[in-house]
Amino acid sequence: MSRSLIAVRPATQTDAGFLTDLWCDALRRAEHHERVADLEQVVKSAEASPEQRLLVAEYDGEPAGAVLLRIGTVTALNLELAVHVVSPTVAPAFRRHGVGRTLMECAAAFAEEAGVPHVCVGVASGSRDANRFMARLALGQVGTFRVAPTAAVRARITAQRPTRSSSSGAGGRQLTRVLAARRSARRADVPGPAEVPSEPPPTA
């Protein structure tokens, strides 16, 4: 019975505020009005592209969830086509009512309509429920997507860069031993004072 209460429609510009609140954790850090403007642009792009769909799920007439669907390649190297399911999210008050399953059903239908052989979805690594849900839908984990500020990455790289002395490591110590051995060999080849032949005594 609850399934009949769910309806899915394309997002419009008036949904930007709802989407901003729904996807607050996925958006850039900015003022609220800037985030709303971002979502308005996303809605506009989806409306203009046959390879995108931004869908809003309603439960009994109330906005309950949303998802952005985009056709692209599996990765930049794997050029097989896939529907990327971006941030399939259900508002807390409407969870466990079939809204998430309906959004994923729309993703599968979009892929079938477009003749796309794969469906990809990103899930927060810390969300156990979301990962279990996607696993039940046959979506397996193939990698981990990590993000950090550029300055932070640069700082860590610089901090972990080996110093000149440590960069030589065992190779430097081995070279030191070789040079010491050569110096010892040269000293061994030079005759000592006892080994130098003395001149014959003068004859009368």
Side-chain angles (χ1 to χ4, degrees), residues 20-72:
T20 300
D21 295 335
L22 183 70
W23 288 334
C24 60
D25 294 335
L27 302 178
R28 67 185 175 110
R29 295 181 180 179
E31 298 293 333
H32 180 73
H33 70 276
E34 294 177 306
R35 290 182 162 201
V36 172
D38 287 349
L39 265 301
E40 290 175 346
Q41 182 59 46
V42 173
V43 171
K44 183 178 179 180
S45 297
E47 290 174 336
S49 173
E51 296 184 344
Q52 294 187 51
R53 286 185 185 176
L54 179 50
L55 303 176
V56 172
E58 294 183 339
Y59 187 86
D60 198 18
E62 294 293 326
V67 66
L68 174 61
L69 308 176
R70 303 178 65 179
I71 297 176

Side-chain angles (χ1 to χ4, degrees), residues 105-127:
E105 186 176 358
C106 291
F110 183 42
E112 290 168 346
E113 293 171 14
V116 174
H118 299 286
V119 173
C120 303
V121 59
V123 181
S125 59
S127 178

Side-chain angles (χ1 to χ4, degrees), residues 145-149 153:
F145 183 70
R146 296 178 180 270
V147 180
V153 176

